[in-house]
């Protein structure tokens, strides 16, 4: 039985409220209980993430990308365990599970290279007038991800957002919440400061709270049109 809790500010938080069963498609058995988070749970995560983000964004791109590079190495080291976990909670074949994790590793390679590709441009738009393009972190951002690719899809956004100096609130599918918590431990082991990667579990209420929260500056969503509505 997997212990599934919200991961906020670098630690797992015991949930005393309502939960949902998490069932493995492989065995049709209950493998854990996922917390149904409230608006208050999200508010706490955002508040702490906002504090952490100010310090994180003050570090250089190179310093931030080094953490992502270490995290990538940990993904490689834990490839078998993470793939087996994905297989159990999602039902993918092992070949599909390995491919899901391998794509996440590849996406981290791109994130670690960001310092080389966003140096900005300087262009003389008129005589004596220069325009300078630069990239700045937004602050606290969020990603809402689906059940079918529980490792790959979060890596479309999380490593990039973190490298660029943002703090991330991840809301994984309540059907496949376990991999997100496994990954949280890897980010911590890689040296990511507390509060930069957070996982808030739940259903419709917490998703709506993310979309409406005034201190979440951007939201990435991957899912069906029906769920989006």
């Amino acid at each position: 039985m997997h212990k599934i809790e919200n991961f906020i500010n670098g630690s797992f938080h015991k949930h005393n409220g309502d939960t949902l069963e998490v069932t493995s498609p492989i065995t049709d058995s209950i493998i854990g209980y996922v917390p149904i988070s409230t608006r208050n749970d999200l508010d706490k995560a955002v508040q702490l993430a906002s504090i952490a983000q100010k310090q994180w964004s003050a570090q250089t791109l190179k310093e931030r990308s080094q953490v992502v590079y270490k995290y990538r190495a940990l993904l490689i080291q834990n490839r078998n365990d993470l793939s087996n976990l994905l297989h159990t909670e999602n039902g993918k074949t092992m070949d599909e599970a390995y491919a899901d994790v391998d794509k996440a590793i590849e996406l981290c390679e791109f994130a670690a290279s960001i310092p080389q590709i966003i140096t900005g441009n300087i262009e003389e738009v008129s005589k004596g007038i220069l325009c300078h393009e630069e990239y700045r972190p937004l602050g606290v951002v969020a990603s809402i991800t689906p059940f079918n690719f529980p490792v790959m899809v979060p890596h479309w956004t999380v490593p990039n957002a973190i490298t660029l100096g943002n703090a991330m609130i991840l809301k994984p599918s309540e059907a496949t919440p376990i991999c997100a918590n496994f990954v949280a431990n890897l980010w911590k082991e890689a040296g990511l400061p507390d509060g930069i990667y957070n996982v808030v579990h739940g259903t419709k209420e917490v998703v709506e709270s993310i979309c409406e929260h005034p201190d979440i500056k951007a939201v990435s969503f991957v899912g069906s049109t029906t769920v989006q509505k």
Side-chain angles (χ1 to χ4, degrees):
M1 189 71 65
H2 293 274
K3 191 175 182 180
I4 309 167
E5 297 172 335
N6 289 334
F7 184 80
I8 299 172
N9 203 39
S11 62
F12 292 100
H13 291 250
K14 186 177 180 179
H15 183 79
N16 296 317
D18 294 334
T19 60
L20 287 175
E21 294 177 353
V22 178
T23 303
S24 170
I26 301 296
T27 61
D28 199 31
S29 60
I30 297 171
I31 56 175
Y33 294 88
V34 62
I36 302 177
S37 301
T38 64
R39 291 178 185 267
N40 288 336
D41 295 324
L42 177 66
D43 284 341
K44 181 178 181 180
V46 174
Q47 181 183 16
L48 294 171
S50 296
I51 296 170
Q53 189 272 334
K54 290 178 175 61
Q55 295 180 330
W56 178 241
S57 63
Q59 296 191 29
T60 65
L61 265 171
K62 182 179 179 181
E63 290 170 332
R64 297 195 296 262
S65 67
Q66 286 300 307
V67 175
V68 177
Y69 194 77
K70 291 176 184 176
Y71 167 73
R72 170 190 170 274
L74 290 170
L75 278 180
I76 294 172
Q77 291 175 25
N78 290 273
R79 178 176 179 263
N80 288 338
D81 289 344
L82 184 53
S83 298
N84 275 290
L85 185 59
L86 196 161
H87 165 71
T88 300
E89 76 164 347
N90 173 271
K92 288 179 183 286
T93 67
M94 283 306 301
D95 284 345
E96 291 172 328
Y98 279 123
D100 200 317
V101 174
D102 288 343
K103 191 63 179 180
I105 294 168
E106 180 184 329
L107 290 162
C108 285
E109 293 170 4
F110 173 81
S113 72
I114 282 177
Q116 310 302 320
I117 59 178
I118 63 159
T119 53
N121 297 314
I122 298 177
E123 184 176 354
E124 186 174 10
V125 296
S126 187
K127 188 174 182 180
I129 299 176
L130 298 178
C131 284
H132 181 210
E133 177 188 275
E134 62 182 42
Y135 297 85
R136 297 179 182 177
L138 293 174
V140 180
V141 297
S143 192
I144 302 166
T145 57
F147 76 94
N148 54 341
F149 289 93
V151 176
M152 181 187 75
V153 170
H155 285 80
W156 286 352
T157 54
V158 173
N160 295 340
I162 286 175
T163 303
L164 289 166
N166 301 285
M168 172 60 71
I169 307 288
L170 175 66
K171 193 281 170 189
S173 168
E174 61 273 20
T176 54
I178 303 171
C179 285
N181 282 26
F182 185 94
V183 162
N185 283 318
L186 299 187
W187 277 116
K188 191 172 181 69
E189 187 177 348
L192 188 69
D194 294 345
I196 302 303
Y197 176 83
N198 307 275
V199 183
V200 177
H201 297 286
T203 54
K204 183 178 180 180
E205 180 182 356
V206 75
V207 168
E208 291 177 344
S209 300
I210 287 171
C211 295
E212 296 167 359
H213 204 290
D215 294 325
I216 295 179
K217 304 304 181 182
V219 178
S220 169
F221 168 79
V222 178
S224 67
T225 302
T226 301
V227 172
Q228 181 269 333
K229 290 180 178 179

